[in-house]
Amino acid sequence: MTSVELAGVTKSYAGQRAVDALDLQIRSGEFLVLVGPSGCGKSTTLRMIAGLESPDAGEIHFDDRAVTRLPARARDVAMVFQDYALYPHMTVRQNLAFGLKMRRVGRAEIASRTAATASALGIEPLLDRRPDQLSGGQQQRVAVGRAIVRQPAVFLLDEPLSNLDARLRDELRVELVRLHRQLGTTMVYVTHDQTEAMMMGQRVAAMEGGRILQIDTPMQLYRQPRNRFVASLIGSPAMNFIPARRQDGQWVSGTYRWPVAFAAAASDPGPEAIEIGIRPSAFRLQPTDPQELALSLTVDVVQPLGATALLQCNGLGQRLSVVCDQAAVPQVGDRIEVYVAAEELHGFDAQNGENLKSEI
Ligand code: ADP
């Protein structure tokens, strides 16, 4: 098992910073996910770890070994891309064995590793087929197999499931998590899909503009997002944001007074304007505690999700999403009261997006 450390890693293309003085410590044996919108620098970061791009500045270490100036083949990494690019004229078995042959691994060793990999991925019945005789999901399994059969020190995956349909994606997510548990290899996984990040990562690094804004367990990112960007990135349906301004020492949105204090720090007068963040699932249609806040909303759209439903409502002069039990779904046009506990409210500085609640 190998740890990976990036220190001050920077990369620009045509004067534009793709990755900006990035510090990142990936623990030995960890499954780390880089998540963020398209163009935020995830792939570039991964490609620099792989040795497919070299940083303009900064250092990369695998354990104590400086690898910054080593080419990919000297780093002992394996990478899987969205586009699986199997060798079309080779069978699955030959695809799996190819990298080992090039490294002059012995025949018996190749046979046993290929068999073990095929078994781990459930692709034994496919070993004698060619890629054009496989479905997309099967091809991607083989691509993963081709990477793990090499037993790399670090396993890098760049949006490997994006080309698959939703059901297959769900299946392969589970398999990759199980595979990680079985192999214990350090894995770095890039995705723009926050659901995937939440489901797979032991830790998740939320990226924007070539920087990591927060790195923590999925549930910490969900419960205590450091800023508005992370709060809006993580969690589905997305958090509601309601502008509020300071009036007579209270936060107000229109005529609604929030009975909650938000401050940057005790000594700091704090911002004049904030956004109140409330997750759609934090609302209740019945109060569970008399202390809870109540909001009056009008139901505009009802979207069944199965056990729950997503309500698009109007209230406080804007649109608000509410998740409720399917058993208690109101009608379109209904006026409803929703309740939320004060602890479920976040306050974000309207200027810099900082989450103020965590600092009270
Ligand atoms: P992500 O993986 O988060 O979508 P990338 O790391 O691919 O983001 O890209 C980060 C930024 O760097 C983007 O603005 C992208 O256009 C730019 N970029 C990435 N690779 C290249 C390249 N080879 N040449 C020029 N610009 C690039």
Side-chain angles (χ1 to χ4, degrees):
M1 288 200 283
T2 304
S3 64
V4 177
E5 178 165 359
L6 282 71
V9 168
T10 297
K11 178 78 181 176
S12 299
Y13 295 104
Q16 289 278 356
R17 287 248 165 135
V19 174
D20 191 5
L22 193 87
D23 295 327
L24 172 61
Q25 281 107 32
I26 303 163
R27 297 170 189 152
S28 174
E30 175 172 39
F31 196 130
L32 179 95
V33 177
L34 303 178
V35 68
S38 181
C40 72
K42 306 180 294 293
S43 289
T44 304
T45 302
L46 202 73
R47 292 169 63 80
M48 288 193 288
I49 296 172
L52 299 173
E53 298 278 357
S54 41
D56 302 332
E59 294 296 327
I60 302 176
H61 282 82
F62 284 7
D63 294 333
D64 295 332
R65 193 162 67 109
V67 300
T68 321
R69 272 157 279 282
L70 290 184
R73 65 190 142 73
R75 290 194 190 189
D76 196 12
V77 298
M79 196 152 167
V80 178
F81 300 93
Q82 178 175 348
D83 168 10
Y84 8 90
L86 299 174
Y87 304 113
H89 55 286
M90 292 185 193
T91 63
V92 168
R93 191 191 309 279
Q94 289 165 334
N95 264 283
L96 293 178
F98 185 73
L100 300 179
K101 267 193 185 158
M102 297 307 283
R103 284 176 179 72
R104 301 183 190 287
V105 176
R107 277 182 98 131
E109 173 79 10
I110 291 181
S112 81
R113 281 212 225 166
T114 304
T117 299
S119 151
L121 290 163
I123 52 174
E124 293 122 312
L126 312 177
L127 281 169
D128 295 314
R129 294 200 198 165
R130 282 199 322 269
D132 63 1
Q133 298 169 309
L134 303 176
S135 70
Q138 291 169 332
Q139 289 187 33
Q140 192 55 306
R141 266 170 224 250
V142 177
V144 169
R146 202 172 50 173
I148 63 174
V149 77
R150 288 180 35 204
Q151 302 176 344
V154 182
F155 192 23
L156 306 171
L157 301 109
D158 192 349
E159 304 259 7
L161 310 183
S162 300
N163 281 350
L164 306 176
D165 66 49
R167 187 170 292 271
L168 257 178
R169 218 160 42 223
D170 285 347
E171 255 177 60
L172 276 173
R173 278 177 192 154
V174 176
E175 291 201 15
L176 284 174
V177 168
R178 195 182 288 136
L179 201 62
H180 172 256
R181 194 170 60 207
Q182 191 185 329
L183 301 173
T185 310
T186 309
M187 292 195 183
V188 190
Y189 189 102
V190 160
T191 181
H192 65 276
D193 177 347
Q194 67 83 30
T195 310
E196 193 155 291
M198 292 281 283
M199 288 169 96
M200 299 183 78
Q202 289 174 320
R203 286 194 306 156
V204 173
M207 290 186 67
E208 187 200 27
R211 293 173 167 268
I212 291 175
L213 299 190
Q214 189 170 1
I215 176 165
D216 213 320
T217 61
M219 284 313 292
Q220 273 300 105
L221 293 194
Y222 181 82
R223 292 200 184 108
Q224 292 180 353
R226 189 172 291 162
N227 54 40
R228 188 194 191 284
F229 179 84
V230 176
S232 66
L233 179 71
I234 302 292
S236 174
M239 188 183 271
N240 295 293
F241 295 97
I242 307 160
R245 63 196 162 77
R246 196 197 288 281
Q247 196 178 71
D248 311 327
Q250 263 191 314
W251 293 109
V252 300
S253 300
T255 56
Y256 190 85
R257 293 182 172 272
W258 299 95
V260 182
F262 292 108
S267 55
D268 190 326
E272 282 307 307
I274 62 170
E275 282 185 282
I276 306 268
I278 309 177
R279 295 213 180 269
S281 56
F283 290 116
R284 305 269 168 267
L285 295 195
Q286 300 292 333
T288 49
D289 181 321
Q291 299 294 315
E292 285 178 346
L293 289 64
L295 293 173
S296 287
L297 308 177
T298 308
V299 180
D300 185 33
V301 177
V302 175
Q303 298 172 292
L305 301 173
T308 59
L310 177 59
L311 313 177
Q312 302 295 342
C313 304
N314 295 319
L316 300 178
Q318 68 178 71
R319 170 147 293 211
L320 293 169
S321 312
V322 173
V323 170
C324 78
D325 239 27
Q326 186 62 43
V329 176
Q331 304 275 313
V332 169
D334 279 0
R335 187 98 186 136
I336 58 170
E337 294 284 314
V338 296
Y339 302 87
V340 59
E343 308 86 77
E344 298 280 358
L345 267 53
H346 297 268
F348 300 98
D349 187 322
Q351 289 270 316
N352 61 20
E354 181 193 354
N355 190 342
L356 301 164
K357 189 186 182 192
S358 55
E359 306 211 356
I360 287 179

